[in-house]
Amino acid sequence: PLLEAPFRRFMSQFQNLYSVSLSGATNLTWSHIEALTAASGPTLASLSLSLASGTTVNASMWKITETFPALRHLDLKSCAVPASACISDVFPPTLTSLCLSSCLKLTDESIGKLASFLKGLKRLEMRGLYRLTDKGINTILSANPGLTSLDISSLMNLTNNSISFAT
């Protein structure tokens, strides 16, 4: 596991980090994320928490928005993102790239909430979200006409309706 005190000491050695990956780390807490503030603060533009076991994104992580105001890319692949976390206070509106692949708790409703405030997305990965249907995909596509990259592979509940809507 990634211990908080040593991680905080390690991160305090850096300033003005632009990109940080904690992919695969175990037992991340908000304290780990706070330690990034000392190292990057407002300059952090890319954060990857993919495959970070024990990491749950919830409403308490709303601080991401104010802690990292320049954040453009957020990778939460395989993190436990509950549907209730898809509120405007959790994900910064500055995001242009978001990976939610294998965040298995996400639904059409939660994706709809995301779509309502993340209007500047250019790249979106939603691979393997088995609860998503045509409704969720159509909502995202309607709200983000500027998408240039969309990964919806392994979505079992899609029909030709989503494909025709996208073209």
Side-chain angles (χ1 to χ4, degrees):
L2 191 57
L3 299 176
E4 290 179 29
F7 180 74
R8 190 172 291 278
R9 281 191 304 277
F10 174 75
M11 292 307 296
S12 69
Q13 299 174 49
F14 303 99
Q15 292 183 355
N16 300 317
L17 289 175
Y18 177 82
S19 179
V20 173
S21 176
L22 296 174
S23 297
T26 58
N27 299 317
L28 287 181
T29 65
W30 180 250
S31 294
H32 291 100
I33 304 300
E34 284 180 322
L36 293 175
T37 305
S40 58
T43 63
L44 189 71
S46 178
L47 176 60
S48 177
L49 301 175
S50 71
L51 304 169
S53 65
T55 303
T56 299
V57 177
N58 56 39
S60 69
M61 286 186 73
W62 64 269
K63 295 177 186 176
I64 287 177
T65 302
E66 65 184 42
T67 305
F68 307 117
L71 197 64
R72 301 288 183 265
H73 171 76
L74 182 58
D75 185 348
L76 297 173
K77 177 182 175 184
S78 297
C79 288
V81 179
S84 61
C86 292
I87 55 176
S88 60
D89 289 341
V90 175
F91 295 99
T94 55
L95 287 179
T96 57
S97 175
L98 178 60
C99 178
L100 296 171
S101 293
S102 299
C103 294
L104 303 178
K105 296 181 181 180
L106 296 180
T107 63
D108 286 339
E109 182 182 349
S110 56
I111 290 298
K113 288 178 184 177
L114 272 173
S116 70
F117 62 89
L118 289 180
K119 306 267 187 198
L121 285 177
K122 301 291 182 204
R123 182 174 169 265
L124 180 60
E125 293 181 34
M126 299 189 297
R127 185 176 333 126
L129 301 185
Y130 70 91
R131 295 180 186 200
L132 244 53
T133 67
D134 293 334
K135 179 183 176 185
I137 296 303
N138 294 345
T139 301
I140 280 286
L141 292 174
S142 295
N144 288 279
L147 273 175
T148 56
S149 176
L150 177 64
D151 184 346
I152 53 173
S153 56
S154 300
L155 297 188
M156 307 313 236
N157 295 319
L158 295 187
T159 69
N160 288 335
N161 291 335
S162 287
I163 304 306
S164 63
F165 184 85
T167 56

